[in-house]
Amino acid sequence: MNILELSEQEILRRQSLDELRKMGINPYPAAEYPTNAFSTEIRENFRDEDEPRQVSIAGRMMTQRVMGKASFVELQDSKGRIQVYITRDDICPGDDKELYNTVFKKLLDIGDFIGVKGFVFRTQTGEISVHAQELTLLSKSLKPLPIVKYKDGVAYDKFDDPELRYRQRYVDLVVNEGVKDTFLKRATIIRTLRRILDDAGYTEVDTPILQNIAGGASARPFITHFNALNQDMYMRIATELYLKRLIVGGFEGVYEMGKNFRNEGMDKTHNPEFTCMELYVSYKDLLWGMTFTENMLEQICTAVNGKPEVEIDGNVISFRAPFRRLPILDAIKEKTGFDCDGKTEDEIRPFCLSKGMEVDETMGKGKLIDELFGEFCEGTFIQPTFITDYPVEMSPLTKMHRSKPGLTERFELMVNGKELANAYSELNDPIDQEERFKEQMRLADKGDDEAMIIDHDFLRALQYGMPPTFGIGIGIDRLVMLLTGKFAIGEVMLFPQMKPEKKAPQSSIQEWAAIGVPEDWVYVLRKAGFYLIQDIKGEKAQGLQQKIGEINKKFKLGYEKPSLDEVQQWIDKAQSPLS
């Protein structure tokens, strides 16, 4: 990288880096720096009447106030921030004061990692602080952090652009309060969920991410190529079919918490790569599953928020059991007045069209009902609600309802207007399952690119016999959004998928060379704001020479200054139609 591609702050920091090395100070030491305290714990345990406590702490320097021979810095560790009081004579007890006068005052920057050993005390203004007796540089920061400034309670220079925050999550976590807390809560949710399932006696397993058939859900898959096998593979859209194979194999209950991939749209509540938990339990059914799910979510919400309620956008959502239970066809009738019960797709489609919905001939009955529910019902269920009794056309892996012909034993859990969980009394009749798969293939032939493909190995597994089984999938990202009050999925994923980073267009080194500009001077021209060859059109040779000469001088580059004739030739060639 050419130095002129850096900002002025970055150049100054690299110069400080060089100075530190010349002084014999390693800006990136390898040795362990033992710590024995965190910022939050220091404040919680401080007592004025106690003997001064010796501590060793480490973290980023987030503020620096130099006041002659004494200074204050704010150190941020993994738990929070604490003030550190530094005096010249305490960290430099001998005659050599370079550590304070040069290193600390001139060569350290905001964002640098430092280690501090000293004792805890309360300042005259009442702030619990650490009085430094030793100071060690642990890592030099070469890029300046965006520091949020506050005046009269108003924040300025906030790092709040979602595009930047998600792309540079490492910066977001450092400078924005509350971001790390969201991901600590996410960890609590996953840890609690795993504990509940483990305590119930269920086994956590891993199943393939690369699969021959994208099965277990109705979704468009990602396709990749497996070179060693010379065949195309699918990234899994669900873990269901492999987990049910394990039930066939004799596991009492199995679950997997991992990534699924669906090559579909992106919005505030959908990401093509997402985390899902799927659980399958032998000898259980949908009724047992609803009770288990209610109790599980009540425990998780309490673990995260201290109570089984959470407030989102002014709504207090309660996860106290029991939840409301409502058949899907009743929900559609309740919201639209149209009764889908007993209707064919040719009877449902005209009603959808009359409501201005975008439907077509490729959509079967199940798809049409799904579209109706999504359009008129889904967003209206704020409190946890089990939507039950889905038509068989919508549920190719679900057992037929024990008392309602044409329906299945399935529920989707709706909370705050979004689906949180999907669950079944699992279909274990291999002949029925084969017919359902064939119906899915007929839908695929009609153009439904989300229809399931027949998984012959899964059918073979079912033929060996699978016990009655309850299965459920819970979207972890959606659950975290609910329990942390976030409205965008990017807020609860550390690194959500992003479009490629946009870069300002610029002419290449080779293109500049074609009009006679040496490579060194290309970087100077860019620093002066001339990124494209056409940018120097209309410039006066003397003015352009002066601009690039000032940069040459400012950054002490020592390049041989181009003559006016040479600069004029650049401009003339830039104006040529061939340039």
Side-chain angles (χ1 to χ4, degrees):
M1 173 182 287
N2 188 285
I3 192 171
L4 294 181
E5 295 180 273
L6 303 172
S7 68
E8 193 164 342
Q9 273 284 329
E10 290 173 299
I11 292 170
L12 290 173
R13 287 180 180 231
R14 292 188 184 224
Q15 290 172 349
S16 295
L17 184 76
D18 292 339
E19 288 298 316
L20 287 165
R21 284 180 166 142
K22 288 175 184 176
M23 294 176 68
I25 296 173
N26 184 353
Y28 305 105
E32 175 192 7
Y33 189 86
T35 61
N36 61 13
F38 290 105
S39 55
T40 50
E41 177 265 325
I42 289 173
R43 281 193 294 273
E44 289 168 2
N45 293 326
F46 179 79
R47 301 289 181 272
D48 288 296
E49 62 272 18
D50 292 344
E51 286 292 317
R53 175 189 172 190
Q54 293 291 322
V55 295
S56 178
I57 58 176
R60 281 188 190 271
M61 188 170 69
M62 298 301 292
T63 63
Q64 184 185 39
R65 288 180 290 141
V66 178
M67 299 174 293
K69 297 178 182 179
S71 302
F72 287 95
V73 304
E74 192 173 33
L75 185 143
Q76 178 172 295
D77 61 19
S78 62
K79 305 293 184 182
R81 295 187 181 189
I82 193 163
Q83 181 173 267
V84 178
Y85 175 62
I86 300 173
T87 69
R88 186 191 67 183
D89 293 336
D90 280 324
I91 66 170
C92 304
D95 294 334
D96 185 357
K97 308 297 182 182
E98 285 294 284
L99 178 60
Y100 184 84
N101 292 338
T102 302
V103 176
F104 174 73
K105 290 175 66 175
K106 298 177 181 179
L107 302 180
L108 293 193
D109 294 290
I110 303 303
D112 289 352
F113 280 89
I114 59 173
V116 172
K117 293 180 181 178
F119 60 88
V120 185
F121 77 113
R122 190 188 296 275
T123 66
Q124 292 181 351
T125 59
E127 186 168 353
I128 298 168
S129 307
V130 174
H131 188 130
Q133 294 170 304
E134 291 183 26
L135 176 70
T136 304
L137 173 62
L138 300 178
S139 182
K140 182 71 183 159
S141 170
L142 298 183
K143 279 187 174 291
L145 290 168
I147 300 299
V148 181
K149 302 180 182 68
Y150 293 91
K151 184 177 182 181
D152 300 327
V154 179
Y156 297 89
D157 301 325
K158 291 196 293 185
F159 188 70
D160 57 2
D161 182 348
E163 170 81 12
L164 287 175
R165 289 183 52 236
Y166 299 166
R167 196 179 297 282
Q168 299 180 38
R169 181 68 83 188
Y170 38 87
V171 176
D172 187 32
L173 288 164
V174 172
V175 303
N176 285 327
E177 293 182 10
V179 174
K180 183 183 288 185
D181 186 55
T182 296
F183 293 101
L184 292 174
K185 287 183 176 180
R186 181 183 177 113
T188 298
I189 289 167
I190 292 173
R191 184 169 56 249
T192 306
L193 176 56
R194 183 173 273 119
R195 176 185 56 77
I196 292 168
L197 299 178
D198 289 344
D199 288 349
Y202 308 137
T203 304
E204 184 173 10
V205 298
D206 294 308
T207 62
I209 289 176
L210 293 178
Q211 302 181 354
N212 291 318
I213 294 172
S218 296
R220 185 183 299 116
F222 284 92
I223 302 174
T224 187
H225 189 74
F226 199 138
N227 288 336
L229 297 178
N230 192 28
Q231 69 179 64
D232 286 343
M233 301 284 281
Y234 300 98
M235 297 182 75
R236 73 181 177 201
I237 58 175
T239 56
E240 176 168 347
L241 300 187
Y242 279 93
L243 293 175
K244 287 200 283 194
R245 285 173 169 92
L246 298 177
I247 296 295
V248 171
F251 280 90
E252 179 79 13
V254 292
Y255 73 93
E256 182 167 9
M257 200 132 25
K259 296 284 190 180
N260 290 341
F261 306 86
R262 298 182 181 178
N263 198 0
E264 298 170 342
M266 295 173 63
D267 58 33
K268 286 191 173 182
T269 59
H270 294 86
N271 196 71
E273 175 187 347
F274 63 97
T275 303
C276 187
M277 187 286 298
E278 289 197 43
L279 165 72
Y280 295 85
V281 186
S282 303
Y283 314 114
K284 307 299 184 185
D285 68 358
L286 196 74
L287 299 177
W288 175 89
M290 284 191 272
T291 300
F292 183 84
T293 302
E294 290 168 338
N295 293 331
M296 179 171 61
L297 291 175
E298 184 172 346
Q299 289 183 61
I300 293 171
C301 185
T302 303
V304 174
N305 295 312
K307 56 185 179 180
E309 294 88 25
V310 61
E311 184 172 338
I312 302 175
D313 199 24
N315 295 314
V316 176
I317 295 175
S318 174
F319 284 94
R320 292 184 187 274
F323 302 164
R324 184 188 181 193
R325 306 177 183 194
L326 179 67
I328 187 172
L329 299 185
D330 290 355
I332 292 173
K333 185 176 180 180
E334 182 182 287
K335 301 299 180 182
T336 68
F338 183 75
D339 190 354
C340 295
D341 192 20
K343 298 287 195 306
T344 66
E345 66 178 81
D346 291 333
E347 293 173 301
I348 298 172
R349 188 176 289 107
F351 176 75
C352 294
L353 292 170
S354 73
K355 290 292 186 179
M357 296 172 60
E358 294 184 6
V359 298
D360 56 49
E361 296 300 320
T362 69
M363 295 182 179
K365 180 179 177 179
K367 188 82 168 178
L368 293 170
I369 291 174
D370 193 29
E371 292 292 317
L372 276 171
F373 182 80
E375 182 75 19
F376 297 105
C377 308
E378 183 174 329
T380 67
F381 296 106
I382 304 302
Q383 296 301 325
T385 303
F386 290 120
I387 303 299
T388 66
D389 302 349
Y390 281 71
V392 64
E393 294 87 352
M394 298 179 67
S395 311
L397 298 168
T398 312
K399 185 169 286 191
M400 294 295 292
H401 200 286
R402 66 193 75 178
S403 62
K404 298 178 182 178
L407 302 180
T408 60
E409 297 205 353
R410 173 186 177 188
F411 75 69
E412 287 189 329
L413 177 59
M414 299 292 163
V415 190
N416 200 38
K418 295 294 179 183
E419 175 199 339
L420 178 62
N422 189 17
Y424 317 142
S425 291
E426 298 294 337
L427 179 59
N428 61 344
D429 179 340
I431 297 174
D432 188 1
Q433 181 65 83
E434 185 172 5
E435 289 303 313
R436 305 268 196 100
F437 274 144
K438 287 178 179 178
E439 176 58 28
Q440 287 288 300
M441 293 307 293
R442 284 190 282 270
L443 292 174
D445 291 340
K446 289 176 64 174
D448 186 347
D449 59 3
E450 294 184 352
M452 290 190 193
I453 303 171
I454 296 178
D455 188 333
H456 291 286
D457 180 69
F458 175 66
L459 288 175
R460 179 169 57 192
L462 284 187
Q463 290 168 19
Y464 282 99
M466 185 176 85
T469 300
F470 167 75
I472 184 171
I474 296 178
I476 298 299
D477 308 303
R478 289 265 182 93
L479 180 58
V480 178
M481 288 173 67
L482 277 170
L483 298 184
T484 59
K486 303 299 180 184
F487 297 96
I489 196 168
E491 294 292 332
V492 301
M493 303 181 78
L494 280 168
F495 300 103
Q497 298 297 326
M498 305 286 292
K499 292 181 179 179
E501 192 169 358
K502 291 182 179 178
K503 295 185 178 180
Q506 58 185 26
S507 299
S508 68
I509 298 294
Q510 293 76 15
E511 289 170 325
W512 284 105
I515 66 167
V517 181
E519 181 175 341
D520 287 342
W521 285 102
V522 172
Y523 295 107
V524 178
L525 284 164
R526 288 175 181 170
K527 197 69 175 178
F530 302 102
Y531 296 100
L532 298 170
I533 289 173
Q534 62 200 50
D535 293 340
I536 66 171
K537 291 180 180 179
E539 287 288 317
K540 300 293 185 183
Q542 187 171 357
L544 183 57
Q545 185 196 47
Q546 182 177 345
K547 288 177 182 177
I548 62 177
E550 288 172 353
I551 292 172
N552 187 27
K553 181 179 179 180
K554 178 179 180 180
F555 293 100
K556 302 176 182 178
L557 300 174
Y559 298 160
E560 185 177 346
K561 186 177 180 181
S563 67
L564 275 178
D565 287 341
E566 289 175 312
V567 174
Q568 186 62 58
Q569 287 176 17
W570 300 349
I571 296 170
D572 292 342
K573 289 183 179 180
Q575 293 171 337
S576 168
L578 298 177
S579 65

